[in-house]
Amino acid sequence: MIQQTALAQARSAYRPKLPASLSAASTAKQTPLPTSSDSEIRALFPNTFDLPAVTFEKGTAPTAASPIRVGVILSGGPAPGGHNVIAGLFDAIKSIHPESSLIGFLNGPDGLLTNNGIVIDAKLLESYRNTGGFDIIGSGRTKLESHEDFLKALETAKSRDLTALVVIGGDDSNSNASKLAEFAQANNAPLCVVGVPKTIDGDLRGEHIETSFGFDTASKVYSDLIGNIQRDAISARKYWHFIKLMGRSASHIALECALQTHPNITLISEEVAERGLTLKQILDQISDTVAHRAANGEKFGTVLIPEGLIEFVPEMGALIGELNETLAHHGDAFNALETLPQKREFVATKLTEAAALLYRSLPDDIANQLILDRDPHGNVQVARIDTQRLLIDLVEARLKEMKAAGTYKASFSPQPHYFGYEGRCAVPSNFDADYTYTLGFTAALLLREGLTGYICSVRGLTKPAADWHAGGIPMAQMMNMERRHGKMVPVIKKALVELDGPAFKEFEKHRASWAKETQYAFPGPIQYFGPAEVCDRPTITLELESGAV
Ligand code: FBP
């Protein structure tokens, strides 16, 4: 039984803010999207590609003639605000038609495939409003992508008399939701599928999706912790803190945390890839900063490391690419081997000479992590690679060389940290509580319109919530072709940090002085009650991208 804390009780009374234009009576305005020239994707999504963008406006739409019967799944890693998406969806379908109903499929797509779901009613929902976590129905990483999966999903929907399905997930889950929507249309199945952009990683976004939900809260939780560590660093004056931050391939979280806390060094994976920085160059950058600060009497510092970093170091990226192909093509032979040294040796023999040399030079635990920890989509589980420890080991070795050469004289005491799970289920910030409730409400309105293959889009997010614009865009329009498991497939493109974007430019302006001097910022914990400028402020990334600062 979950104990209700004083904050939880106070928080349950919070009423998420909705855009003024959004109510059960909002009317839908369609706007044609610029014609895309992507004939390959269009051919794969003949029913759901050439659809208009939809925006909801203040209106007088009558109550729906028949109830909406919706299924919902939470897919992938948790992100703060998931419960409020469900609350917004529930409240909206009930005000659209009081007989509408909501089924929550348990533990992600698996619940849909196995027809394992529960009725979500007002009573159940009450204790989950404005809370973190996905525990109301659980989440999972089962894929929903094969012909058989789609048939099973349609069977489940039919057996429960569902007219709609809402998929709350990241880029892969929404890509699959889009494929299911197309499949249902192609097979004349009466199921509308709508997606909701979720992920703390912040990499599901584009022209119409300003941010994914959860990024705001998670990056604020990590920034609070980093600020606390920095306060410790200037107090104790003896540790270098190497802090790995979640975010999968993208460095949005690391960049946002850097803007909030001003650490001495922040590595941005996308910059490492674009400038072709080698491992040696990265180590030199860190070691030189350590030496410079020590010479000024500051034997402490902070380094932020995006969890996907090693994939982006060119020689490591090439190695990971070869490992992906090797394991996609020789999976059975690999799985048949019993010991880890045998598995490592097996893959090494399938690699090119340069990749094999690098692979064999890695510490065994890192080499194991590269071949063992893969997600169901075939991606390396970067969350499990101890990049912070790898960098500490390598920097220590480099500093030893510098000591021998007389260019470094101090001692070096590193502390590794990894922040990821600490932020994914945090109590959603006001921004995420409002944004997710709005996303859920918007999903219901798209379904009321009988739209399918759409992802919810809420824009103007740096303005007060009352001024946000909500609607939807066809998911197929966000797709590109990518190689997965050795095959080209359509997927929503991951949005990585852009080096010519305003957030990176702002960071670039300051990083040299943040490295040499100590200019730490201490954002403190998320505030839920108090003045709007303290409680409702979005991320710095969003503010910079919207031109609000
Ligand atoms: P999603 O992409 O599903 O939102 O998950 C985000 C994330 O938290 C990543 O930042 C991290 O790499 C990964 O999940 C960890 O996965 P797992 O939950 O399976 O450990």
Side-chain angles (χ1 to χ4, degrees), residues 200-205 215 219 246-247 249-257 268 270 306 495-498 541 545:
I200 62 161
D201 302 349
D203 58 4
L204 172 48
R205 60 163 150 182
F215 174 69
S219 54
M246 248 189 197
S249 303
S251 307
H252 297 292
I253 290 182
L255 181 56
E256 173 63 25
C257 291
I268 300 294
E270 292 82 344
L496 301 180
V497 168
E498 286 174 11
T541 304
E545 282 174 353

mmCIF file of all heavy atoms in Angstrom, residues 200-205 215 219 246-247 249-257 268 270 306 495-498 541 545:
data_model
loop_
_atom_site.group_PDB
_atom_site.id
_atom_site.type_symbol
_atom_site.label_atom_id
_atom_site.label_comp_id
_atom_site.label_asym_id
_atom_site.label_seq_id
_atom_site.Cartn_x
_atom_site.Cartn_y
_atom_site.Cartn_z
ATOM 1 N N ILE A 200 11.882 10.955 -21.373
ATOM 2 C CA ILE A 200 12.721 11.933 -20.669
ATOM 3 C C ILE A 200 13.865 12.383 -21.572
ATOM 4 O O ILE A 200 14.444 13.435 -21.373
ATOM 5 C CB ILE A 200 13.296 11.371 -19.354
ATOM 6 C CG1 ILE A 200 14.198 10.161 -19.612
ATOM 7 C CG2 ILE A 200 12.202 11.057 -18.357
ATOM 8 C CD1 ILE A 200 15.146 9.835 -18.469
ATOM 9 N N ASP A 201 14.209 11.546 -22.582
ATOM 10 C CA ASP A 201 15.395 11.819 -23.406
ATOM 11 C C ASP A 201 15.271 13.107 -24.231
ATOM 12 O O ASP A 201 16.275 13.651 -24.683
ATOM 13 C CB ASP A 201 15.673 10.648 -24.356
ATOM 14 C CG ASP A 201 15.890 9.342 -23.618
ATOM 15 O OD1 ASP A 201 16.031 9.384 -22.379
ATOM 16 O OD2 ASP A 201 15.907 8.288 -24.266
ATOM 17 N N GLY A 202 14.049 13.548 -24.473
ATOM 18 C CA GLY A 202 13.841 14.780 -25.232
ATOM 19 C C GLY A 202 14.128 14.643 -26.717
ATOM 20 O O GLY A 202 14.228 15.642 -27.433
ATOM 21 N N ASP A 203 14.250 13.403 -27.203
ATOM 22 C CA ASP A 203 14.638 13.233 -28.617
ATOM 23 C C ASP A 203 13.463 12.937 -29.542
ATOM 24 O O ASP A 203 13.655 12.687 -30.728
ATOM 25 C CB ASP A 203 15.700 12.122 -28.742
ATOM 26 C CG ASP A 203 15.226 10.794 -28.187
ATOM 27 O OD1 ASP A 203 14.045 10.697 -27.779
ATOM 28 O OD2 ASP A 203 16.025 9.853 -28.147
ATOM 29 N N LEU A 204 12.249 12.961 -28.990
ATOM 30 C CA LEU A 204 11.074 12.812 -29.852
ATOM 31 C C LEU A 204 10.490 14.201 -30.013
ATOM 32 O O LEU A 204 9.713 14.676 -29.173
ATOM 33 C CB LEU A 204 10.059 11.838 -29.224
ATOM 34 C CG LEU A 204 8.698 11.713 -29.917
ATOM 35 C CD1 LEU A 204 8.843 11.524 -31.414
ATOM 36 C CD2 LEU A 204 7.916 10.555 -29.338
ATOM 37 N N ARG A 205 10.941 14.882 -31.023
ATOM 38 C CA ARG A 205 10.445 16.230 -31.275
ATOM 39 C C ARG A 205 10.788 16.633 -32.693
ATOM 40 O O ARG A 205 11.556 15.966 -33.380
ATOM 41 C CB ARG A 205 11.039 17.213 -30.296
ATOM 42 C CG ARG A 205 12.548 17.271 -30.388
ATOM 43 C CD ARG A 205 13.015 18.492 -29.727
ATOM 44 N NE ARG A 205 14.325 18.330 -29.157
ATOM 45 C CZ ARG A 205 14.917 19.289 -28.487
ATOM 46 N NH1 ARG A 205 14.317 20.419 -28.283
ATOM 47 N NH2 ARG A 205 16.121 19.113 -28.018
ATOM 48 N N PHE A 215 10.794 15.257 -20.038
ATOM 49 C CA PHE A 215 12.127 15.865 -20.170
ATOM 50 C C PHE A 215 12.282 16.996 -19.143
ATOM 51 O O PHE A 215 13.325 17.144 -18.505
ATOM 52 C CB PHE A 215 12.292 16.390 -21.604
ATOM 53 C CG PHE A 215 13.563 17.162 -21.848
ATOM 54 C CD1 PHE A 215 14.787 16.511 -21.847
ATOM 55 C CD2 PHE A 215 13.540 18.538 -22.087
ATOM 56 C CE1 PHE A 215 15.973 17.218 -22.075
ATOM 57 C CE2 PHE A 215 14.704 19.252 -22.312
ATOM 58 C CZ PHE A 215 15.922 18.589 -22.311
ATOM 59 N N SER A 219 15.089 16.484 -16.222
ATOM 60 C CA SER A 219 16.310 17.302 -16.278
ATOM 61 C C SER A 219 16.383 18.238 -15.066
ATOM 62 O O SER A 219 17.476 18.581 -14.614
ATOM 63 C CB SER A 219 16.433 18.059 -17.602
ATOM 64 O OG SER A 219 15.290 18.806 -17.839
ATOM 65 N N MET A 246 21.307 9.982 -18.044
ATOM 66 C CA MET A 246 20.487 9.257 -19.012
ATOM 67 C C MET A 246 20.135 10.120 -20.210
ATOM 68 O O MET A 246 20.298 11.341 -20.168
ATOM 69 C CB MET A 246 19.185 8.805 -18.353
ATOM 70 C CG MET A 246 19.109 7.323 -18.194
ATOM 71 S SD MET A 246 17.479 6.829 -17.662
ATOM 72 C CE MET A 246 17.885 5.183 -17.101
ATOM 73 N N GLY A 247 19.623 9.483 -21.211
ATOM 74 C CA GLY A 247 19.225 10.219 -22.413
ATOM 75 C C GLY A 247 19.395 9.378 -23.656
ATOM 76 O O GLY A 247 19.202 9.864 -24.761
ATOM 77 N N SER A 249 20.760 7.947 -26.882
ATOM 78 C CA SER A 249 21.738 8.492 -27.829
ATOM 79 C C SER A 249 21.863 10.011 -27.742
ATOM 80 O O SER A 249 22.939 10.568 -27.958
ATOM 81 C CB SER A 249 21.317 8.153 -29.262
ATOM 82 O OG SER A 249 21.180 6.784 -29.405
ATOM 83 N N ALA A 250 20.764 10.673 -27.454
ATOM 84 C CA ALA A 250 20.773 12.139 -27.525
ATOM 85 C C ALA A 250 21.357 12.768 -26.262
ATOM 86 O O ALA A 250 21.247 12.208 -25.188
ATOM 87 C CB ALA A 250 19.345 12.635 -27.728
ATOM 88 N N SER A 251 21.940 13.966 -26.423
ATOM 89 C CA SER A 251 22.551 14.656 -25.273
ATOM 90 C C SER A 251 21.688 15.802 -24.768
ATOM 91 O O SER A 251 22.186 16.700 -24.093
ATOM 92 C CB SER A 251 23.916 15.221 -25.671
ATOM 93 O OG SER A 251 24.722 14.236 -26.223
ATOM 94 N N HIS A 252 20.384 15.784 -25.090
ATOM 95 C CA HIS A 252 19.537 16.910 -24.661
ATOM 96 C C HIS A 252 19.555 17.090 -23.144
ATOM 97 O O HIS A 252 19.603 18.215 -22.649
ATOM 98 C CB HIS A 252 18.090 16.688 -25.104
ATOM 99 C CG HIS A 252 17.917 16.634 -26.587
ATOM 100 N ND1 HIS A 252 18.105 17.735 -27.398
ATOM 101 C CD2 HIS A 252 17.573 15.616 -27.413
ATOM 102 C CE1 HIS A 252 17.878 17.384 -28.663
ATOM 103 N NE2 HIS A 252 17.560 16.111 -28.698
ATOM 104 N N ILE A 253 19.516 15.963 -22.414
ATOM 105 C CA ILE A 253 19.472 16.090 -20.945
ATOM 106 C C ILE A 253 20.783 16.686 -20.445
ATOM 107 O O ILE A 253 20.782 17.611 -19.624
ATOM 108 C CB ILE A 253 19.187 14.716 -20.289
ATOM 109 C CG1 ILE A 253 17.736 14.300 -20.572
ATOM 110 C CG2 ILE A 253 19.459 14.756 -18.789
ATOM 111 C CD1 ILE A 253 17.318 12.979 -19.932
ATOM 112 N N ALA A 254 21.913 16.175 -20.938
ATOM 113 C CA ALA A 254 23.215 16.699 -20.489
ATOM 114 C C ALA A 254 23.313 18.195 -20.807
ATOM 115 O O ALA A 254 23.773 18.994 -19.981
ATOM 116 C CB ALA A 254 24.348 15.933 -21.168
ATOM 117 N N LEU A 255 22.861 18.576 -21.987
ATOM 118 C CA LEU A 255 22.947 19.984 -22.391
ATOM 119 C C LEU A 255 22.056 20.853 -21.495
ATOM 120 O O LEU A 255 22.478 21.907 -21.011
ATOM 121 C CB LEU A 255 22.534 20.108 -23.875
ATOM 122 C CG LEU A 255 22.578 21.495 -24.493
ATOM 123 C CD1 LEU A 255 23.952 22.128 -24.365
ATOM 124 C CD2 LEU A 255 22.188 21.429 -25.984
ATOM 125 N N GLU A 256 20.831 20.410 -21.259
ATOM 126 C CA GLU A 256 19.916 21.174 -20.398
ATOM 127 C C GLU A 256 20.501 21.289 -18.981
ATOM 128 O O GLU A 256 20.480 22.371 -18.383
ATOM 129 C CB GLU A 256 18.545 20.491 -20.366
ATOM 130 C CG GLU A 256 17.549 21.081 -19.373
ATOM 131 C CD GLU A 256 17.149 22.528 -19.657
ATOM 132 O OE1 GLU A 256 17.236 22.962 -20.822
ATOM 133 O OE2 GLU A 256 16.751 23.237 -18.702
ATOM 134 N N CYS A 257 21.027 20.188 -18.463
ATOM 135 C CA CYS A 257 21.600 20.227 -17.108
ATOM 136 C C CYS A 257 22.802 21.167 -17.070
ATOM 137 O O CYS A 257 23.021 21.867 -16.071
ATOM 138 C CB CYS A 257 21.999 18.826 -16.644
ATOM 139 S SG CYS A 257 20.585 17.758 -16.355
ATOM 140 N N ILE A 268 29.210 16.610 -25.237
ATOM 141 C CA ILE A 268 27.978 16.521 -26.028
ATOM 142 C C ILE A 268 28.262 15.520 -27.149
ATOM 143 O O ILE A 268 29.104 15.772 -28.021
ATOM 144 C CB ILE A 268 27.586 17.916 -26.591
ATOM 145 C CG1 ILE A 268 27.344 18.918 -25.453
ATOM 146 C CG2 ILE A 268 26.365 17.820 -27.527
ATOM 147 C CD1 ILE A 268 26.142 18.630 -24.558
ATOM 148 N N GLU A 270 26.785 14.577 -29.808
ATOM 149 C CA GLU A 270 26.585 14.996 -31.196
ATOM 150 C C GLU A 270 27.774 15.829 -31.683
ATOM 151 O O GLU A 270 28.156 15.754 -32.848
ATOM 152 C CB GLU A 270 25.292 15.820 -31.316
ATOM 153 C CG GLU A 270 24.010 15.022 -31.074
ATOM 154 C CD GLU A 270 23.646 14.835 -29.592
ATOM 155 O OE1 GLU A 270 24.518 15.060 -28.715
ATOM 156 O OE2 GLU A 270 22.502 14.445 -29.318
ATOM 157 N N PRO A 306 26.934 12.407 -21.340
ATOM 158 C CA PRO A 306 25.683 11.825 -21.829
ATOM 159 C C PRO A 306 25.833 10.316 -21.970
ATOM 160 O O PRO A 306 26.903 9.835 -22.379
ATOM 161 C CB PRO A 306 25.479 12.491 -23.193
ATOM 162 C CG PRO A 306 26.792 13.065 -23.569
ATOM 163 C CD PRO A 306 27.632 13.219 -22.335
ATOM 164 N N ALA A 495 15.481 12.946 -32.773
ATOM 165 C CA ALA A 495 15.996 14.314 -32.901
ATOM 166 C C ALA A 495 17.165 14.488 -31.942
ATOM 167 O O ALA A 495 16.987 14.472 -30.724
ATOM 168 C CB ALA A 495 14.893 15.303 -32.575
ATOM 169 N N LEU A 496 18.358 14.619 -32.494
ATOM 170 C CA LEU A 496 19.553 14.781 -31.661
ATOM 171 C C LEU A 496 19.835 16.268 -31.446
ATOM 172 O O LEU A 496 19.188 17.133 -32.056
ATOM 173 C CB LEU A 496 20.731 14.077 -32.323
ATOM 174 C CG LEU A 496 20.532 12.573 -32.569
ATOM 175 C CD1 LEU A 496 21.756 11.956 -33.222
ATOM 176 C CD2 LEU A 496 20.205 11.832 -31.275
ATOM 177 N N VAL A 497 20.809 16.571 -30.591
ATOM 178 C CA VAL A 497 21.179 17.972 -30.350
ATOM 179 C C VAL A 497 21.749 18.560 -31.638
ATOM 180 O O VAL A 497 22.613 17.947 -32.289
ATOM 181 C CB VAL A 497 22.242 18.070 -29.226
ATOM 182 C CG1 VAL A 497 22.856 19.466 -29.158
ATOM 183 C CG2 VAL A 497 21.625 17.687 -27.893
ATOM 184 N N GLU A 498 21.264 19.742 -32.001
ATOM 185 C CA GLU A 498 21.791 20.409 -33.201
ATOM 186 C C GLU A 498 22.852 21.414 -32.791
ATOM 187 O O GLU A 498 22.605 22.276 -31.947
ATOM 188 C CB GLU A 498 20.651 21.107 -33.937
ATOM 189 C CG GLU A 498 19.777 20.089 -34.644
ATOM 190 C CD GLU A 498 18.554 20.687 -35.278
ATOM 191 O OE1 GLU A 498 18.468 21.930 -35.365
ATOM 192 O OE2 GLU A 498 17.690 19.889 -35.679
ATOM 193 N N THR A 541 16.305 24.912 -22.496
ATOM 194 C CA THR A 541 16.343 24.492 -23.914
ATOM 195 C C THR A 541 15.102 24.988 -24.643
ATOM 196 O O THR A 541 15.200 25.585 -25.727
ATOM 197 C CB THR A 541 16.396 22.945 -24.003
ATOM 198 O OG1 THR A 541 17.519 22.479 -23.267
ATOM 199 C CG2 THR A 541 16.470 22.463 -25.432
ATOM 200 N N GLU A 545 15.009 27.734 -27.587
ATOM 201 C CA GLU A 545 14.537 27.336 -28.916
ATOM 202 C C GLU A 545 13.334 28.146 -29.372
ATOM 203 O O GLU A 545 13.134 28.332 -30.565
ATOM 204 C CB GLU A 545 14.218 25.842 -28.940
ATOM 205 C CG GLU A 545 15.511 25.045 -29.038
ATOM 206 C CD GLU A 545 15.320 23.560 -28.936
ATOM 207 O OE1 GLU A 545 14.194 23.116 -28.649
ATOM 208 O OE2 GLU A 545 16.320 22.843 -29.133
#
